[in-house]
């Protein structure tokens, strides 16, 4: 690296270290290198595709600000996989595989061979899959596209994204995705030993093994599996389950040391899990984490078409479109409405018209509107998404993450609550009208786009129960200027 690039790299890393918490900087940027810097922008090199995709999804705005500070002017940035960094990373992976293979006497296709002392079967674990929950039957849309892509990649290249963690409200497809991963692994590698369970069952099995003095058998079962999949992991935070949490933490560490794939799902994101020991929260959150959202209208239309076809119902396209537009919520609500519609047509002898759809919706659609949003609701949702305290979002801090969270909160308060700039200023630390106007006008468009950088706002809107898309929020706000 030239002296010029060395100097730019030093300034860039110093700026990133100031803008990010120390653990985040160390995890994602400490080992990165500046590959080039010039009129066409700055190129940052990282060690693999996972780092590239994660930085582009989560930290691109911070990286742009740090690059502009390092170069003394606004500059575009690119993130690439550096051959110099990738080579030792890949070499370490290959060495680990060779070391594991040297201890084995049997092999499993596409997975490290199985040690001779490992049990040949995991009793009663591979037969609990829902036969309909496959990738072929999974409707993919804006709410789950990234999770679907990463899940497929994890099946093809186990361990590339580390452990997977999918979160979201009930009915967004978490269980379907977990079962689809198991089905696909068994299709590609029939000898794979999968433990597919739930948080509640894991605790029950652990307690039973402890009571019967069979903890060694319980631990051996988990120690030698190829894939561990646990749904409803949030159950571990309910009540006093410290022993089972400690056991799971040890299991995760053992599987990770053997380069085995782990997949989890829960209602809350890892950092939102209450009652869960901090070290376990950190482990669960250190891999790939994604929040699945409720299906949008286009996805609801695809889901309904598939469900109606499965029931043998021939419903006109305009009626399906009307149903998709009127019916909000998760997959379970859609399935319930389809069942009611099937009864009205099959038993009641009705024609599948819009009027019939309205009758099917009478049970599925709430009779009263939700309580009106309050500023505190928006501030709390934004604070949770960005991992900040509400008083920090409303305060005077000027770090990049705080500024982004504050801009998102201000735009949402303005757009969703129609607050005047004077009212916004009073809410955000007694700032004046001009300051709030400038804050909202300078909001980065990518925060309210349909790209990966817009997902934080999408998740905030989901938390608030607002069906509006992020780009619709910003477009409406621009019209107000």
């Amino acid at each position: 690296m030239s002296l010029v690039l060395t100097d730019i790299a030093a300034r860039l890393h110093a700026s990133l270290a100031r803008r990010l918490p120390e653990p985040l900087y160390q995890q994602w940027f400490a080992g990165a290198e500046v590959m080039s810097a010039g009129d066409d922008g700055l190129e940052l090199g990282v060690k693999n595709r996972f780092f590239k995709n994660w930085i582009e999804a989560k930290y691109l705005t911070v990286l742009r600000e740090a690059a502009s500070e390092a170069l003394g002017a606004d500059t575009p940035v690119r993130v690439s996989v550096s051959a110099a960094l990738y080579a030792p990373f890949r070499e370490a992976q290959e060495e680990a595989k060779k070391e594991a293979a040297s201890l084995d006497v049997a092999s499993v296709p596409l997975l490290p061979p199985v040690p001779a002392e490992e049990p040949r079967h995991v009793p009663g674990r591979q037969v609990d899959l829902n036969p309909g929950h496959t990738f072929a039957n999974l409707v993919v849309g804006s709410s789950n596209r990234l999770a679907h892509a990463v899940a497929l990649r994890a099946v093809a290249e186990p361990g590339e994204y580390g452990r997977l963690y999918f979160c979201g409200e009930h009915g967004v497809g978490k269980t379907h995705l977990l079962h689809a991963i198991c089905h696909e692994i068994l299709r590609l590698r029939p000898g794979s030993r999968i433990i597919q369970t739930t948080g509640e069952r894991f605790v029950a099995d652990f307690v039973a093994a402890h009571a019967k003095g069979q903890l060694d058998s319980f631990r051996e079962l988990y120690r030698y599996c190829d894939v561990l999949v646990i749904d409803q992991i949030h159950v571990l935070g309910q009540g006093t389950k410290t022993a089972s949490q400690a056991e799971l933490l040890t299991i995760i560490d053992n599987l990770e040391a053997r380069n085995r794939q782990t997949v989890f799902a829960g209602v809350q994101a890892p950092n939102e899990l209450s009652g869960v020991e901090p070290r376990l929260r950190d482990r669960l959150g250190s891999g790939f984490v994604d929040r699945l959202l409720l299906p949008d209208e286009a996805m609801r239309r695809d889901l309904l078409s598939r469900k109606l076809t499965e029931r043998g119902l021939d419903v006109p396209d305009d009626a399906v479109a009307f149903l998709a537009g009127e019916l909000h919520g998760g997959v379970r609500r859609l399935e319930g409405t389809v069942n009611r519609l099937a009864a009205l047509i099959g038993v009641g002898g009705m024609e599948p018209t819009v009027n019939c759809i309205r009758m099917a919706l009478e049970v599925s659609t709430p009779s009263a509107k939700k309580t009106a949003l309050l500023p505190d609701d928006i501030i709390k949702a934004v604070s949770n998404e960005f991992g900040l305290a509400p008083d920090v979002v409303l305060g005077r801090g000027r770090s990049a993450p705080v500024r982004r969270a504050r801009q998102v909160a201000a735009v949402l308060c303005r757009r969703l609550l129609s607050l005047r700039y004077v009212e916004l200023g009073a809410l955000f630390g007694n700032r004046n009208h001009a300051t709030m106007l400038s804050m909202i006008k300078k909001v980065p468009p990518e925060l309210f786009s349909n790209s990966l950088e817009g997902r934080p706002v999408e998740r905030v809107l989901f938390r608030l129960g607002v069906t509006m898309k992020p780009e619709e929020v910003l477009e409406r706000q621009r019209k107000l200027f």
Side-chain angles (χ1 to χ4, degrees):
M1 184 184 293
S2 68
L3 292 176
V4 173
L5 283 183
T6 301
D7 180 57
I8 292 174
R11 295 201 301 270
L12 177 69
H13 279 281
S15 180
L16 286 168
R18 288 194 301 271
R19 295 168 185 274
L20 291 169
E22 177 66 16
L24 291 180
Y25 168 75
Q26 290 295 332
Q27 181 174 3
W28 299 110
F29 292 99
E33 67 172 10
V34 176
M35 299 174 64
S36 65
D39 294 338
D40 60 341
L42 182 144
E43 183 176 16
L44 185 74
V46 294
K47 66 180 182 180
N48 59 26
R49 287 194 303 275
F50 175 65
F51 269 65
K52 174 183 182 299
N53 294 338
W54 193 262
I55 289 172
E56 288 178 338
K58 298 289 186 180
Y59 302 111
L60 195 56
T61 300
V62 175
L63 181 58
R64 286 171 179 159
E65 293 172 349
S68 298
E69 181 180 349
L71 294 174
D74 290 341
T75 183
V77 296
R78 305 184 300 279
V79 184
S80 305
V81 177
S82 164
L85 297 177
Y86 178 76
F89 164 76
R90 190 62 180 174
E91 183 178 344
Q93 279 194 327
E94 293 300 326
E95 286 298 321
K97 289 181 181 179
K98 289 178 182 177
E99 182 179 353
S102 69
L103 302 174
D104 297 336
V105 296
S107 64
V108 175
L110 299 184
L111 285 176
V114 180
E117 71 274 15
E118 293 191 14
R120 289 292 176 189
H121 182 54
V122 181
R125 297 294 185 176
Q126 298 183 13
V127 295
D128 294 339
L129 300 177
N130 185 320
H133 285 355
T134 64
F135 281 119
N137 292 331
L138 181 66
V139 175
V140 180
S142 60
S143 66
N144 65 353
R145 184 171 287 109
L146 179 62
H148 172 262
V150 171
L152 284 175
R153 189 66 185 172
V155 169
E157 296 287 343
E160 180 176 350
Y161 286 91
R163 70 185 60 88
L164 309 184
Y165 189 107
F166 303 110
C167 58
E169 295 297 320
H170 299 292
V172 295
K174 303 186 299 297
T175 299
H176 190 145
L177 192 59
L178 264 57
H179 285 222
I181 290 172
C182 296
H183 277 300
E184 191 68 5
I185 289 174
L186 291 173
R187 186 183 72 83
L188 296 175
R189 299 183 283 279
S192 300
R193 283 165 306 206
I194 298 174
I195 292 182
Q196 176 269 323
T197 187
T198 64
E200 185 175 7
R201 181 175 174 182
F202 175 84
V203 173
D205 288 350
F206 172 75
V207 171
H210 186 275
K212 296 176 182 178
Q214 298 175 351
L215 277 180
D216 287 343
S217 298
F218 175 86
R219 287 164 178 160
E220 186 153 313
L221 186 71
Y222 282 85
R223 183 180 301 136
Y224 295 118
C225 71
D226 297 315
V227 183
L228 173 61
V229 178
I230 302 182
D231 199 359
Q232 301 172 20
I233 194 69
H234 55 275
V235 171
L236 269 70
Q238 299 172 4
T240 305
K241 301 182 176 67
T242 54
S244 57
Q245 290 183 29
E247 191 67 36
L248 179 58
L249 184 62
T250 301
I251 289 169
I252 291 174
D253 287 343
N254 286 338
L255 292 176
E256 186 176 81
R258 297 174 58 243
N259 197 33
R260 296 307 196 254
Q261 183 69 61
T262 54
V263 187
F264 303 94
V267 174
Q268 297 95 3
N271 64 323
E272 298 171 346
L273 291 171
S274 59
V276 173
E277 201 267 333
R279 288 188 304 159
L280 179 56
R281 284 205 307 266
D282 290 342
R283 292 291 197 286
L284 294 173
S286 64
F288 171 83
V289 179
D290 192 38
R291 188 184 298 275
L292 278 66
L293 304 174
L294 291 172
D296 60 17
E297 185 172 342
M299 191 173 174
R300 292 197 300 272
R301 190 163 54 247
D302 291 341
L303 280 165
L304 287 167
S305 295
R306 178 169 297 188
K307 297 295 181 184
L308 291 167
T309 300
E310 290 173 355
R311 295 299 301 266
L313 300 175
D314 185 14
V315 179
D317 291 343
D318 61 337
V320 174
F322 174 78
L323 179 57
E326 293 294 319
L327 183 61
H328 301 282
V331 176
R332 293 188 183 95
R333 176 173 287 179
L334 268 66
E335 291 175 338
T337 304
V338 169
N339 289 336
R340 178 168 166 79
L341 185 60
L344 290 172
I345 296 172
V347 180
M350 296 186 65
E351 292 294 324
T353 61
V354 171
N355 185 52
C356 181
I357 297 291
R358 287 196 176 96
M359 293 185 65
L361 284 170
E362 288 178 358
V363 176
S364 302
T365 305
S367 58
K369 294 183 178 180
K370 293 182 177 180
T371 304
L373 280 176
L374 298 174
D376 285 349
D377 298 326
I378 294 176
I379 301 302
K380 182 179 179 181
V382 172
S383 300
N384 288 337
E385 174 61 32
F386 286 85
L388 301 168
D391 59 334
V392 173
V393 174
L394 298 174
R396 300 281 176 173
R398 298 189 59 80
S399 67
V402 172
R403 288 206 312 273
R404 287 199 305 276
R406 187 178 297 130
Q407 286 176 311
V408 168
V411 170
L412 292 180
C413 284
R414 171 70 173 158
R415 173 66 182 91
L416 301 180
L417 305 180
S418 300
L419 294 184
R420 296 176 299 164
Y421 288 108
V422 173
E423 295 171 323
L424 283 174
L427 178 64
F428 286 81
N430 292 318
R431 290 174 166 86
N432 60 37
H433 174 283
T435 299
M436 296 309 301
L437 179 61
S438 175
M439 180 191 301
I440 292 178
K441 279 190 173 182
K442 291 180 180 179
V443 63
E446 58 269 20
L447 280 178
F448 287 83
S449 68
N450 59 5
S451 67
L452 290 178
E453 288 201 49
R455 288 184 65 81
V457 175
E458 190 175 10
R459 288 191 288 264
V460 169
L461 292 171
F462 167 74
R463 292 170 190 263
L464 296 172
V466 177
T467 59
M468 191 181 301
K469 297 179 180 179
E471 57 268 29
E472 293 173 346
V473 174
L474 192 60
E475 181 61 28
R476 172 58 179 163
Q477 180 56 42
R478 283 172 174 163
K479 291 179 179 178
L480 296 176
F481 289 145

